[in-house]
């Protein structure tokens, strides 16, 4: 965490840069914060169909091939909340306080994947990889064109993460000898969290990605 004096200097410097930037900085500074013990939950839809999802009292969001994951919604830790798909309740779940979680449907039920144990270095970006491909016992992610392997032997419906220095690169994922098409990383900034989803099948893996975002919290 930055020293208080430095944080104040950064805020004041941003405010002096111009009215528009000042407004954005102050909006973030005074935006409502979730109460202690809150948790963050999102849903991933690896299917080919787009669905509308609502977590607890959060906004309804469309997820599917164009955007696999919803934004994280704030819920109360250790208290049940409802997940709705296309306007209908499909389950009630409970997650631990102060945790980040991704929900994915598996065998007709939501499986909770823990996203909490990730990169804590504010100078790096985080890559988080999910093996959601069918019949893929060991998913992998690597830098394309002969680059290093970033994750290997990732079990089905499991997630792993690591911090990286923000760089330009293309990645590919796969199962065994089958690999996906290359996916260029977007321009990442320190502190960004980028999710990579391996979907499709073991014979025809597909890699997609998106920046992880959290819904604004309102009191």
């Amino acid at each position: 965490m930055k020293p208080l004096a430095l944080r104040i200097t950064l805020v004041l410097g941003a405010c002096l840069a111009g009215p528009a930037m000042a407004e954005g900085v102050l909006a973030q500074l005074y935006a409502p914060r979730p109460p202690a013990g809150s948790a963050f939950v999102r849903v991933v839809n690896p299917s080919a169909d787009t669905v509308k999802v609502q977590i607890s009292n959060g906004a309804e969001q469309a997820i599917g091939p164009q955007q696999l994951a919803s934004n994280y919604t704030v819920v109360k830790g250790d208290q049940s909340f409802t997940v709705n798909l296309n306007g209908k309740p499909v389950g009630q779940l409970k997650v631990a306080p102060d945790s980040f979680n991704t929900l994915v449907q598996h065998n007709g039920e939501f499986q909770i994947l823990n996203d909490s144990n990730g990169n804590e270095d504010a100078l790096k970006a985080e890559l988080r990889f999910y093996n959601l491909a069918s019949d893929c016992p060991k998913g992998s992610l690597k830098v394309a064109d002969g680059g290093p392997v970033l994750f290997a032997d990732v079990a089905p419906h499991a997630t792993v993460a690591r911090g990286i220095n923000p760089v330009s690169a293309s990645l590919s994922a796969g199962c065994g000898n089958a690999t996906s098409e290359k996916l260029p990383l977007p321009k990442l900034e320190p502190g960004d969290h980028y999710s990579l989803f391996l979907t499709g099948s073991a014979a025809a893996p597909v890699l997609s990605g998106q920046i992880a975002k959290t819904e604004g919290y309102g009191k």
Side-chain angles (χ1 to χ4, degrees):
M1 180 178 294
K2 298 182 179 70
L4 180 59
L6 176 58
R7 283 185 283 141
I8 292 174
T9 300
L10 289 174
V11 171
L12 290 177
C15 292
L16 293 173
M21 182 176 290
E23 182 179 348
V25 170
L26 293 175
Q28 293 181 13
L29 184 62
Y30 294 109
R33 296 289 189 263
S38 296
F40 301 82
V41 178
R42 68 177 177 178
V43 175
V44 168
N45 173 27
S47 75
D49 300 320
T50 297
V51 299
K52 292 184 178 179
V53 63
Q54 182 182 25
I55 304 166
S56 187
N57 295 320
E60 188 176 64
Q61 304 171 64
I63 54 175
Q66 299 303 314
Q67 178 172 304
L68 268 66
S70 67
N71 295 336
Y72 286 102
T73 296
V74 179
V75 300
K76 294 181 179 180
D78 274 341
Q79 294 190 28
S80 296
F81 61 90
T82 302
V83 178
N84 292 287
L85 289 182
N86 294 327
K88 298 180 179 179
V90 292
Q92 281 206 333
L93 299 99
K94 185 186 297 185
V95 295
D98 306 313
S99 65
F100 280 79
N101 308 270
T102 292
L103 310 180
V104 58
Q105 280 193 309
H106 182 57
N107 295 331
E109 297 181 353
F110 277 113
Q111 182 177 358
I112 301 174
L113 305 181
N114 188 345
D115 296 339
S116 300
N117 299 320
N119 173 57
E120 296 183 357
D121 187 341
L123 298 179
K124 293 187 175 184
E126 179 188 85
L127 297 183
R128 180 169 288 278
F129 177 63
Y130 299 80
N131 178 8
L132 304 179
S134 60
D135 304 318
C136 178
K138 294 181 179 181
S140 63
L141 180 75
K142 66 178 182 179
V143 178
D145 301 323
V149 175
L150 302 177
F151 303 110
D153 300 335
V154 181
H157 288 86
T159 178
V160 289
R162 64 180 291 172
I164 64 164
N165 294 316
V167 294
S168 297
S170 290
L171 306 179
S172 62
C175 301
N177 294 324
T179 57
S180 69
E181 293 186 5
K182 293 187 291 186
L183 176 71
L185 281 176
K187 182 180 180 181
L188 298 176
E189 302 292 341
D192 281 347
H193 294 255
Y194 192 68
S195 300
L196 293 142
F197 303 101
L198 175 61
T199 59
S201 65
V206 176
L207 180 63
S208 57
Q210 68 183 71
I211 293 284
K213 297 181 180 179
T214 301
E215 281 188 23
Y217 175 75
K219 291 184 178 179

